[in-house]
């Protein structure tokens, strides 16, 4: 800033107009926002977390349902023996179809067999396992 002298000995400083300073700050702010949109950051991949949630929800629902014939839960019934698995296979598959959204495929694995679809390679998969008296039952889900 420059200083100048007046005839009476006082000094005056040249000042930048307040409206020019505000305009400059506004331009910088607008440019910062525009750059934020121009350099769009990639969104985090939430698909895996969502698939895990779907698998856990399916296991929770199935583990809490009463058995159709005998056992502590529906999952305990299908994991008890090869005979009970074969008897309950179709009912288990229908039930899992109703629990999960239409845009998901699944596989439910028990010690005596599995229902659902073969898991393709290279896709994100959510998984949840519950332990029953007859062994572990695992639900895997993935997007179609």
């Amino acid at each position: 800033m420059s200083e100048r002298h007046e005839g009476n000995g006082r000094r005056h400083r040249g000042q930048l107009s307040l409206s020019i300073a505000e305009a400059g700050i506004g331009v910088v702010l607008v440019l910062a926002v525009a750059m934020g949109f121009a350099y769009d950051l990639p969104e985090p991949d939430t698909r895996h977390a969502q698939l895990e949630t779907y698998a856990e929800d399916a296991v929770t629902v199935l583990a809490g349902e009463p058995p159709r014939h005998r056992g502590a839960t529906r999952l305990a019934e299908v994991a008890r023996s090869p005979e009970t698995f074969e008897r309950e296979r179709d009912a288990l598959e229908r039930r899992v179809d109703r629990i999960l959204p239409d845009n998901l495929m699944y596989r439910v694995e028990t010690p005596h067999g599995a229902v659902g679809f073969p898991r393709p390679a290279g896709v994100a998969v959510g998984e949840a396992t519950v332990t029953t008296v007859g062994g572990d039952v695992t639900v895997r889900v993935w997007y179609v």
Side-chain angles (χ1 to χ4, degrees), residues 106-126:
Y106 64 89
R107 183 162 184 87
V108 179
E109 297 173 355
T110 74
H112 306 293
V115 298
F117 307 92
R119 181 178 132 194
V123 298
V125 175

Side-chain angles (χ1 to χ4, degrees), residues 4-87:
R4 66 183 174 135
H5 293 284
E6 286 186 4
N8 61 3
R10 287 194 199 155
R11 292 183 178 181
H12 289 282
R13 293 185 178 186
Q15 293 184 351
L16 191 59
S17 168
L18 185 57
S19 60
I20 292 174
E22 289 174 342
I25 292 172
V27 168
V28 170
L29 181 63
V30 168
L31 287 175
V33 170
M35 294 297 282
F37 287 115
Y39 294 107
D40 190 23
L41 298 175
E43 291 188 26
D45 185 11
T46 58
R47 291 181 306 159
H48 182 71
Q50 184 62 51
L51 289 170
E52 289 288 323
T53 301
Y54 281 131
E56 290 171 12
D57 288 351
V59 159
T60 300
V61 169
L62 294 171
E65 291 184 342
R68 287 175 24 109
H69 296 93
R70 209 178 111 217
T73 66
R74 180 184 288 262
L75 291 183
E77 182 177 23
V78 297
R80 188 175 42 198
S81 70
E83 296 78 26
T84 59
F85 176 78
E86 286 303 318
R87 181 185 69 215

Side-chain angles (χ1 to χ4, degrees), residues 76-143:
E77 182 177 23
V78 297
R80 188 175 42 198
S81 70
E83 296 78 26
T84 59
F85 176 78
E86 286 303 318
R87 181 185 69 215
E88 297 301 316
R89 162 180 266 181
D90 292 337
L92 176 62
E93 193 163 15
R94 283 191 305 274
R95 182 63 180 129
V96 175
D97 277 337
R98 287 192 309 267
I99 292 171
L100 294 174
D102 292 338
N103 65 336
L104 293 179
M105 297 186 83
Y106 64 89
R107 183 162 184 87
V108 179
E109 297 173 355
T110 74
H112 306 293
V115 298
F117 307 92
R119 181 178 132 194
V123 298
V125 175
E127 179 178 316
T129 301
V130 64
T131 301
T132 70
V133 175
D136 288 348
V137 177
T138 301
V139 174
R140 291 186 177 89
V141 298
W142 58 93
Y143 290 109

